Amino acid sequence: MKKILLLLCGVFTISIQAQYCQKETAIIKAELAKLVNQLREEKGATPLAFHPILAKAAAHHSKYMSSTNSLTHTESEVGYKTPFDRVHTFKGKDFISVGENVLYITVVTKNNKKAQLKAVAKQMFENWKDSPGHYANMVNPEYEFGDFGFEYNLKQKILFATQVFATKGVTIPGQLSDDDFGLTKASDDCKEAIGNLGNLVLNMGNSLRIEGRDVVLYYHSKEYFKEIIKNPQDGLAVDLLKRDQFACGAKNQLDVSPVHDGILLPPVYKEELWTHNTAESDYRVIVKLGTIPENLNVADYTPALILIKDGQACSEIYQAEVPSDEYSLRPVVAVTKDEPSVALRKEGIIQSQIINYDFNANQTKPIHIPKIAKVVTPIHSIAIQAYSSVEGDSIHNIQLQNARAAYIQKQLQKILDLKNVPFNIEAKEHWDLMDFQLNYFDRQSLLKVSHDSLKQVLANRDQNFPWDSLLFVQRKATAVVHYKGNLDTFDPYNFETLATQNFRTAVATQNVALANKTLYHMYTDSILYNKNVLFEPQVMPFVKAHKELVTNFSANLTESWNEYEIIRYMNHWLSFSETLTTDQKHNILQLYSLVCHRLLNNWDVAAERLAKVIHPSKIEPLIYEGISDELMLNLHLSFLKYYGQINDREGINKSFDFIVNYFKARTLAPEDDNALVLFFNNWSSYNATNSYLLEKYQKELLDEDGLFIFIQTLNFSNESIPDLSMYEVHQKAISKNKERWCQWLQKDFQTLRNENIKQLYCETCSL
C-alpha cells in the first residue's frame, strides 16, 4: 500500500527579485538539492536523484497554490488531489511512497544575483529543516528521488515552492490479478469515509487469523462492522507479505501497485461478507476473507488488510502488537450474619439421594422410570417437587401436577421402607421458571402480559421458537430422599460434613435460624464444603420463601460456579428489590459482578442468553446510597464488559469514565500508570494512552514497561505528535532494553516499512 508521509507547511519573508526565468529557478533548485543531499548524507541516507515526473508534479502544485493563493497539499481537481495522485497522474505509476514539502516567500526587493538566489535556497532549506515534518521528509532514507517546482504570483509578490519525494516499487511475483481485481486507490486513504471509526478500523488488522490456508477475520462488533462496511461496494481484501520483503541490506521490496504491497487476494464485498458470517452470536463477525494459494508456503506469509470504500482501496492495515489489559475486580468482602444463639447439631440428615423425573405434556407417568438406590441408612424425610408446564387450563394443570406427585410418592413407597417417613410435597404450575426463560430468550414483551394472556400466546405458539423444549423443562420433577444419622459415627473433626448435614437438616425441617447459622460458618470459616449442596432442588424454593436467608446465602454463592442457577436466583430477587436490606443488596451486587465477569470471559450463545437476564439496567435498582467505591467499581467493570459485548456505546462511555476517574485518583507509581493505559488500549482509546504517556515521557517518568507501551501504541495507532521524534523514542527504548526492542520488531516486521526505523533495527539487532 502506497503512502504519503508526514507533511507540514512553512512560511517566511525574504528579499528577492520580483520576476523569475528558468535559469534563475534552476539555480535555486540546484542549491536546494545540494543542501538537502548534504543533509541526507550526514544522516546516513542516500542522495536524492532528480526525476522529471516528480518535477512536473511539483511544478503543477506550485502553480495551483499560486492560482489559489493558498499553502496546501490538497488540490480540488480529481486526479490531482494528493501528492500521490499528482505523481501518478503524470504517469509515475511505479512510485509507491510519495512525500511533499511546500512553502512560500514574500518578495520585498529586486535582486537577481546568483549569490542572492543561493541565499534564497539556503533560507528555504533552513526553514524546512527547522520544521519537524519537513525535516523528516528531507532525511527519510526510504526516498530515492526528489525534485522541485516553483511558481511566482506577481499580484501578491509571492514565490511558491514545492519539493516532491518518492520511492519506486517492485513487481512481487505470484500475483492473482493483472489489474488488482479492478481496485483503484482512494485519493485520501478514505479518511473522510472512515471518520471517527479510525481506531475500530485499525483493530481489524489484529483480528486476522490464518486457519489452515484460510485467512479469517474475527471482529468483535457486528454493529461497528456495519458502520465500516456500509455500501454494496465496501469490502475487504487480504494482502500477503513476507518477512524478507523488509530484509536488512536492501531497500524494502514493496509491490509497485498503488493498492497493495505483497500478493493481493480477491476482494470480498459487503453482500458476501454478511452471507458468509459464521458467528453464532448476534454481536460478532467471523468471516473467511480468502485462501492462500497452494503454491505459497503458509508459514512464510503474514496477512495485512485493505479496507475498500466504494470500490476504492484505503490504507493498508497491518498486524502490530499493541499491549492491552483489563482491570480485575477489586476484593469486596460479603456481609454475613451470625445466629449466636443457635448451635450446630451432630444429629440430622447425613446424605441425600436426588431422583429426577421427566414428563411429556398431559402425562402423569414419567417418560423413563428412574432407578432408586436402596440405602440401609434410615430415611429422615422425602421432599417431592412436581410441576405442570404453564400452557393449558390451570384447573387441568393442578390435576396433572398433583397426579405426578402422587405417582412419584407411590413409586417410592413401593421400593423404599417408608413407614412413618414424612413427605413434603410441592406441586404447582412452573411460572417462576417461565419468567426466567422469557428473560433468558429476551422476550421482554411477554414478561409484561398476564398469565392468562401468555397462555393464549402458548396456545398459538410460534414453532420457530423453542417453546416445546422450554415447556418440557418446566415439567421436570424431583424427589429428594434424606437419610438421617449421627455424626458420632463419622470423623468429629470433619466440619465439611457437619456443615452439609446441618444445612440439609435445616432446609428439610424449615429451620431458618439453623440454615443461617450453617451458611454463616460455611462462608466465614472458609470451609471447603461440597458447594453442590447449595443447588440441590429443595434448597432454592426454601431460600426464596425466607428472605432472611438472602444475606448469608448470597455470600456463599460468591464462591460458587453454577452460573445458571445463580442467575435464576438473582432474577428472582430482582423482582423484590424494594424489600431487600442494604446488606442483602450488597451481597447480590457483588455476586452479580463476579458472575457477570465469568460469563463475559467465556462468551458464547448460552452465556449471551444468561447475560440478558442480568442486563445492567435490571441491576441498577439494587444500587443503594452509601455503596462502597470498590463495589461500585466492580459493578462498572462488569457493566463495561457487558456493554462492550452488546456494543452499547452510551453504556460503555458511562462505565469507562467512572473506571478511569477511579484509577486516576489512585495512581501513585509507574505500574499504576501502566495499568491505566493498558486499560485505555483494551478499549481502543489509543489517543488517550498516547496523550497520558506523552506527559510522563517528557518528564522522564516512564519505566521500561511504560516506555514500551508508549512506543508500541504510537506505532499501532500511527498517531503523529508534534515535536515528538519517534526515532528518539525508539532509541530510548533500545537504551532501556535492546533485546526486548529487537524481539518486538522481529515479530512486528511490518513496522520496518519506516526506513528510519528499519535502519536503526538493522544497525542494532543484526548479528
Side-chain angles (χ1 to χ4, degrees):
M1 178 65 61
K2 312 311 163 261
K3 54 185 178 296
I4 305 167
L5 298 189
L6 178 65
L7 310 173
L8 298 175
C9 304
V11 183
F12 64 92
T13 302
I14 195 169
S15 300
I16 193 162
Q17 162 150 338
Q19 298 291 336
Y20 296 93
C21 65
Q22 186 175 358
K23 179 181 176 181
E24 290 163 343
T25 56
I27 293 172
I28 297 174
K29 171 179 173 177
E31 186 66 16
L32 266 176
K34 182 182 78 171
L35 294 170
V36 170
N37 283 336
Q38 285 176 349
L39 176 64
R40 288 177 64 83
E41 289 175 332
E42 290 173 9
K43 298 302 178 181
T46 58
L48 298 174
F50 291 136
H51 197 285
I53 287 178
L54 303 188
K56 288 179 182 179
H60 182 279
H61 190 57
S62 290
K63 186 175 183 178
Y64 175 84
M65 290 191 293
S66 175
S67 67
T68 58
N69 194 29
S70 62
L71 197 64
T72 180
H73 293 290
T74 304
E75 298 187 18
S76 58
E77 187 178 352
V78 174
Y80 297 89
K81 288 188 176 181
T82 69
F84 188 84
D85 289 342
R86 293 190 282 276
V87 169
H88 273 228
T89 296
F90 286 108
K91 304 190 183 305
K93 302 294 185 182
D94 52 351
F95 288 107
I96 58 172
S97 294
V98 177
E100 182 182 84
N101 287 349
V102 297
L103 58 72
Y104 68 75
I105 58 174
T106 302
V107 177
V108 294
T109 63
K110 298 181 179 181
N111 194 328
N112 62 353
K113 292 181 180 180
K114 185 174 183 180
Q116 182 64 26
L117 295 171
K118 286 186 176 183
V120 170
K122 175 69 171 175
Q123 187 61 57
M124 288 180 174
F125 170 77
E126 292 296 337
N127 187 260
W128 275 336
K129 184 180 176 182
D130 290 340
S131 168
H134 296 89
Y135 178 82
N137 275 344
M138 289 195 295
V139 300
N140 189 337
E142 179 180 359
Y143 292 135
E144 303 169 290
F145 301 91
D147 221 320
F148 301 86
F150 306 93
E151 184 69 22
Y152 178 67
N153 185 314
L154 181 62
K155 181 178 180 180
Q156 301 294 330
K157 294 184 171 54
I158 290 174
L159 175 67
F160 289 88
T162 303
Q163 182 176 16
V164 177
F165 309 83
T167 302
K168 286 189 175 183
V170 298
T171 300
I172 301 296
Q175 297 299 331
L176 306 181
S177 170
D178 293 333
D179 64 349
D180 297 334
F181 300 100
L183 285 176
T184 58
K185 180 74 169 61
S187 60
D188 63 347
D189 284 333
C190 308
K191 291 178 181 177
E192 183 176 344
I194 292 172
N196 60 1
L197 299 174
N199 285 348
L200 299 170
V201 173
L202 278 176
N203 288 337
M204 282 185 164
N206 282 349
S207 302
L208 294 177
R209 301 183 194 173
I210 294 180
E211 299 177 351
R213 304 194 75 84
D214 294 335
V215 183
V216 182
L217 176 74
Y218 285 78
Y219 197 65
H220 68 283
S221 169
K222 182 182 287 187
E223 178 184 346
Y224 293 148
F225 195 80
K226 285 181 179 178
E227 290 192 40
I228 296 167
I229 308 295
K230 294 172 91 172
N231 304 315
Q233 288 303 303
D234 290 353
L236 299 169
V238 172
D239 189 15
L240 300 175
L241 293 110
K242 295 178 72 173
R243 176 70 177 81
D244 60 14
Q245 289 180 248
F246 305 89
C248 290
K251 77 169 190 175
N252 288 340
Q253 300 295 294
L254 304 180
D255 194 88
V256 70
S257 164
V259 171
H260 63 92
D261 294 331
I263 296 176
L264 183 67
L265 300 185
V268 185
Y269 291 96
K270 177 182 176 181
E271 182 177 356
E272 187 177 352
L273 288 170
W274 287 119
T275 301
H276 294 103
N277 178 26
T278 60
E280 293 186 14
S281 166
D282 291 337
Y283 305 110
R284 304 285 171 266
V285 175
I286 302 174
V287 61
K288 179 178 131 181
L289 298 182
T291 301
I292 298 175
E294 292 291 337
N295 63 311
L296 301 182
N297 182 7
V298 173
D300 291 341
Y301 289 87
T302 295
L305 193 66
I306 298 171
L307 174 66
I308 302 168
K309 298 294 292 181
D310 291 325
Q312 292 189 309
C314 309
S315 293
E316 189 152 332
I317 310 159
Y318 55 87
Q319 295 178 333
E321 180 179 354
V322 55
S324 65
D325 201 358
E326 59 185 2
Y327 284 112
S328 58
L329 297 177
R330 304 294 97 172
V332 173
V333 178
V335 178
T336 52
K337 301 291 185 181
D338 192 12
E339 295 280 354
S341 62
V342 178
L344 298 181
R345 307 171 182 179
K346 291 185 178 180
E347 294 182 352
I349 296 171
I350 58 174
Q351 69 181 94
S352 298
Q353 179 183 183
I354 300 173
I355 307 162
N356 296 304
Y357 300 83
D358 292 323
F359 292 90
N360 282 324
N362 297 312
Q363 299 298 309
T364 58
K365 183 178 179 179
I367 299 171
H368 303 289
I369 307 300
K371 291 183 179 180
I372 301 173
K374 293 183 179 181
V375 181
V376 295
T377 307
I379 296 175
H380 175 278
S381 59
I382 295 177
I384 296 174
Q385 293 174 323
Y387 301 98
S388 60
S389 47
V390 301
E391 85 279 23
D393 178 69
S394 293
I395 295 176
H396 176 64
N397 286 345
I398 292 173
Q399 295 171 347
L400 276 175
Q401 64 211 26
N402 288 336
R404 289 165 181 164
Y407 178 92
I408 294 170
Q409 183 177 18
K410 185 176 180 180
Q411 187 211 18
L412 294 172
Q413 288 170 334
K414 283 183 179 180
I415 298 173
L416 303 175
D417 181 10
L418 299 181
K419 187 177 181 180
N420 298 322
V421 172
F423 279 84
N424 178 19
I425 298 176
E426 180 185 36
K428 63 180 183 179
E429 287 183 315
H430 220 157
W431 281 106
D432 59 335
L433 180 55
M434 180 82 266
D435 176 77
F436 175 76
Q437 291 170 333
L438 292 175
N439 271 293
Y440 182 81
F441 283 96
D442 201 25
R443 293 296 178 107
Q444 300 299 317
S445 61
L446 295 180
L447 286 166
K448 300 176 183 178
V449 304
S450 66
H451 287 180
D452 286 341
S453 297
L454 185 54
K455 284 179 180 288
Q456 290 295 320
V457 172
L458 293 172
N460 303 286
R461 53 185 176 268
D462 178 6
Q463 296 304 312
N464 293 321
F465 188 73
W467 287 115
D468 290 343
S469 63
L470 299 185
L471 297 172
F472 178 80
V473 173
Q474 292 176 18
R475 293 190 290 270
K476 287 180 176 290
T478 61
V480 183
V481 183
H482 298 299
Y483 299 91
K484 61 185 177 181
N486 191 311
L487 278 184
D488 286 342
T489 60
F490 290 80
D491 180 357
Y493 300 104
N494 188 342
F495 203 83
E496 183 273 333
T497 304
L498 182 65
T500 303
Q501 169 191 292
N502 274 267
F503 185 66
R504 285 187 175 130
T505 303
V507 174
T509 59
Q510 302 287 294
N511 189 331
V512 175
L514 180 60
N516 247 340
K517 180 74 173 183
T518 308
L519 290 167
Y520 172 80
H521 280 293
M522 285 178 171
Y523 183 78
T524 59
D525 295 342
S526 300
I527 304 166
L528 298 175
Y529 65 95
N530 180 5
K531 294 180 176 60
N532 289 330
V533 70
L534 300 176
F535 305 104
E536 290 180 359
Q538 76 279 12
V539 172
M540 285 293 182
F542 174 65
V543 176
K544 290 176 182 178
H546 299 91
K547 185 169 70 73
E548 54 267 52
L549 294 172
V550 169
T551 300
N552 287 351
F553 191 74
S554 299
N556 279 276
L557 290 182
T558 63
E559 299 178 342
S560 303
W561 291 84
N562 190 329
E563 285 88 358
Y564 183 86
E565 291 298 335
I566 290 173
I567 290 177
R568 281 191 63 185
Y569 169 80
M570 287 193 294
N571 182 66
H572 171 81
W573 289 111
L574 286 174
S575 301
F576 302 95
S577 60
E578 294 182 357
T579 71
L580 297 176
T581 68
T582 296
D583 289 343
Q584 291 168 340
K585 291 178 179 179
H586 173 94
N587 286 358
I588 291 177
L589 287 173
Q590 175 62 0
L591 180 61
Y592 167 85
S593 65
L594 292 168
V595 172
C596 192
H597 246 63
R598 290 200 293 261
L599 282 176
L600 300 176
N601 284 336
N602 300 281
W603 188 264
D604 56 20
V605 174
E608 178 186 334
R609 288 176 177 164
L610 278 176
K612 289 178 180 177
V613 183
I614 51 173
H615 188 285
S617 63
K618 298 180 181 179
I619 297 298
E620 286 176 355
L622 291 177
I623 297 174
Y624 55 90
E625 185 176 353
I627 188 172
S628 71
D629 289 344
E630 287 68 30
L631 179 53
M632 199 68 222
L633 172 69
N634 284 354
L635 290 173
H636 275 292
L637 286 169
S638 300
F639 292 167
L640 183 63
K641 289 177 73 70
Y642 191 103
Y643 288 131
Q645 292 286 4
I646 65 172
N647 306 314
D648 183 329
R649 295 187 191 180
E650 182 178 352
I652 288 172
N653 291 336
K654 180 180 178 181
S655 290
F656 183 88
D657 290 343
F658 180 94
I659 295 165
V660 168
N661 291 333
Y662 176 94
F663 283 107
K664 272 189 174 180
R666 292 163 175 80
T667 53
L668 300 174
E671 52 265 30
D672 298 323
D673 292 325
N674 297 343
L676 180 61
V677 294
L678 289 174
F679 172 75
F680 287 155
N681 282 354
N682 194 57
W683 289 93
S684 303
S685 294
Y686 309 119
N687 294 345
T689 293
N690 296 335
S691 176
Y692 189 85
L693 291 183
L694 176 62
E695 181 181 355
K696 306 290 182 182
Y697 173 80
Q698 292 171 334
K699 294 179 180 180
E700 298 188 353
L701 296 176
L702 294 181
D703 63 4
E704 179 184 317
D705 287 337
L707 183 58
F708 273 86
I709 294 169
F710 185 41
I711 195 170
Q712 289 173 325
T713 306
L714 283 171
N715 176 67
F716 178 77
S717 62
N718 200 28
E719 182 178 358
S720 175
I721 298 178
D723 301 324
L724 177 70
S725 168
M726 278 296 293
Y727 189 84
E728 290 180 4
V729 182
H730 279 276
Q731 287 179 315
K732 285 195 176 183
I734 293 170
S735 69
K736 288 281 188 181
N737 192 327
K738 170 184 169 182
E739 182 179 0
R740 180 176 179 178
W741 185 83
C742 290
Q743 289 176 348
W744 164 45
L745 290 185
Q746 176 68 23
K747 177 185 175 185
D748 286 355
F749 65 82
Q750 294 197 59
T751 301
L752 303 180
R753 292 166 180 268
N754 183 309
E755 288 285 352
N756 286 314
I757 304 307
K758 177 183 175 181
Q759 181 178 341
L760 183 60
Y761 170 80
C762 294
E763 293 172 353
T764 304
C765 306
S766 297
L767 297 178

